[in-house]
Amino acid sequence: MIKIYHNNRCSKSRCGLEILEESGKEFEVVKYLDNTLNKEELTDIIKLLGISPIDLVRKNEAIWKTNFKNKNLSDAQVITAMVENPKLIERPIIINGNKAVIGRPPELILNII
């Protein structure tokens, strides 16, 4: 089943949700700010995306700028930062089987559904 890791306050995430709704396919909405991801889940998502952990970080968030910017962090430390501060996770993330994409721009979602 398709999953969208969603933040309703984010316009790109809302657009991603709309694309999934219009597709007519079944999907699950994961509100990752309410149901936070653990290290294993986040690591699995990063592997599916085929990116480095730092590429999933929202670097303009105040939390990042205040606590982590310009620090030489390991991948494990970046993952820990996102687990402890889920606002740092880029959104939306859509997973369909063994494929995943960050919906920025939202049209990228069409490539995996």
Side-chain angles (χ1 to χ4, degrees):
M1 177 182 295
I2 298 169
K3 277 187 184 179
I4 180 171
Y5 291 84
H6 177 62
N7 176 352
N8 199 46
R9 292 187 208 139
C10 172
S11 63
K12 299 286 188 220
S13 197
R14 289 192 305 270
C15 286
L17 185 62
E18 189 175 315
I19 288 170
L20 289 176
E21 288 170 343
E22 290 173 358
S23 76
K25 298 183 182 202
E26 271 190 54
F27 63 92
E28 175 186 354
V29 176
V30 178
K31 294 183 179 179
Y32 68 92
L33 293 178
D34 298 333
N35 302 307
T36 57
L37 300 169
N38 63 41
K39 288 181 186 181
E40 294 79 20
E41 291 167 323
L42 190 56
T43 300
D44 289 345
I45 290 169
I46 291 166
K47 285 179 186 171
L48 280 176
L49 288 166
I51 61 174
S52 296
I54 193 68
D55 296 328
L56 192 58
V57 172
R58 296 177 53 81
K59 295 169 194 77
N60 286 326
E61 288 289 337
I63 296 166
W64 182 261
K65 290 179 180 179
T66 302
N67 299 308
F68 305 103
K69 186 177 180 179
N70 297 324
K71 292 186 179 176
N72 189 13
L73 302 173
S74 69
D75 286 352
Q77 289 170 314
V78 172
I79 290 169
T80 298
M82 287 188 283
V83 167
E84 292 175 356
N85 304 281
K87 286 176 78 174
L88 293 176
I89 300 171
E90 191 62 80
R91 63 213 178 228
I93 301 168
I94 295 76
I95 298 176
N96 187 4
N98 62 358
K99 299 178 202 168
V101 69
I102 300 169
R104 290 186 168 269
E107 294 76 25
L108 290 175
I109 298 166
L110 298 171
N111 296 335
I112 68 164
I113 60 172

